[in-house]
Amino acid sequence: MVEIARSLDTKKTVLAHEVWKNSLLDNSIYRGKRLFRCLDDHCGAQLTLANWRVEEPIRAAYFKLSSREPEKQHKFNCQMEYGTDDEKNQLLENSTGVTMMDADQQTVADQIENTIQITQAIRPNKSETDKFIINKDSSALSVTEQDKIYKNYRTSSNIKGLTKSTYQSLMPVMLWWKDHPEGILEKINWPAIDREGQERATSFITPLKFNNPFLLNNIIINLNEQKLSEHEYNKVKIFYGEFHGSSEESSNHTLFSTLKNPSVLFKIRNNDLKNVVGIKRLRQAIKQNKYIELAFCGHFFFSKKDNHLVFVPRTPAIADWLAILGK
Ligand SMILES: [Zn+2]
């Protein structure tokens, strides 16, 4: 059982998940479920896609041997089947440019269900929220309606084999992370602005742009568990933790702080906040003087002038960089 094979139709290396998705289309590029070969060209065993054209598979798609006959098994020296982890990784890297990290074959299947890709969409205006979640001002919705949105997201994201999606705003990414704490980010292409509000090709900040698969956890700084250290400054990350919000009546801003990392402070204009899903929960928490789980994406720099850390959000669109998560 493998997640990756060579297609006889395209001669290319393909993921089982991609073939499965394509097999559901009328004009599928793959002509049949048996037209696949073991990735080790010296072996070339014939493989069949399980779940071919199954609309709601119980588990993620994978390739299995097409036949039980002894002469149709993997060759004794097949590196995909019998190779060491290093050999398999080398084979995968040569044919795809993708390494499966330290995973063994058993866990590759879980990883395929367990991956997302993140890209940036073009927004017509900065207050527009993510269509995936909601397309109107979320403060107009009741708490029950907002709960329904969370639930809908969770249901759709949990369908096995369908989690390889593209996200642009922080909320679905964080909800996905909560469901898949060991989730793998296949690639991410999130631009970021600097403190002048410019997105520059050569900037001293490091945006979230990678093409290699890695744990989503690696770009999330859990402020409940670790102190923000100097080597995280000027790098765009997702910061997560329990925050306390206090309204500054005079400036129409809300100030956020966290007990565990007192140096981490940031302000958001109340006018911007009203466009975020979960704003009612947030307002409730502020009123009751309670902590609330938040995530925000951007970078911190140390301002020598003011002698404190300053937060710069990743983009001007608040749904891209702020997620109100919990109670
Ligand atoms: Zn083989």
Side-chain angles (χ1 to χ4, degrees), residues 192-195 203-206 232-237 239 296-301 310-314:
I193 53 173
D194 64 18
R195 64 183 91 160
S203 171
F204 65 92
I205 64 157
T206 317
E232 311 289 1
Y233 298 175
N234 302 322
K235 285 180 190 156
V236 178
K237 301 262 175 174
F239 302 92
F296 51 101
C297 184
H299 74 279
F300 281 95
F301 71 90
V310 179
F311 176 69
V312 181
R314 184 176 77 77

Side-chain angles (χ1 to χ4, degrees), residues 38 43 45 74 78:
C38 174
C43 166
H74 291 279
C78 170

Side-chain angles (χ1 to χ4, degrees), residues 220-228 232 260-261:
I220 297 177
I221 308 283
N222 188 336
L223 296 171
N224 292 339
E225 287 169 6
Q226 65 190 98
K227 287 262 179 281
L228 183 63
E232 311 289 1
K260 316 241 163 90
N261 272 276

Side-chain angles (χ1 to χ4, degrees), residues 38-40 43-45 47 65 73-75 78-81:
C38 174
L39 205 57
D40 184 342
C43 166
L47 302 175
L65 281 168
Q73 307 300 303
H74 291 279
K75 294 246 164 67
C78 170
Q79 289 192 346
M80 272 314 274
E81 188 66 10

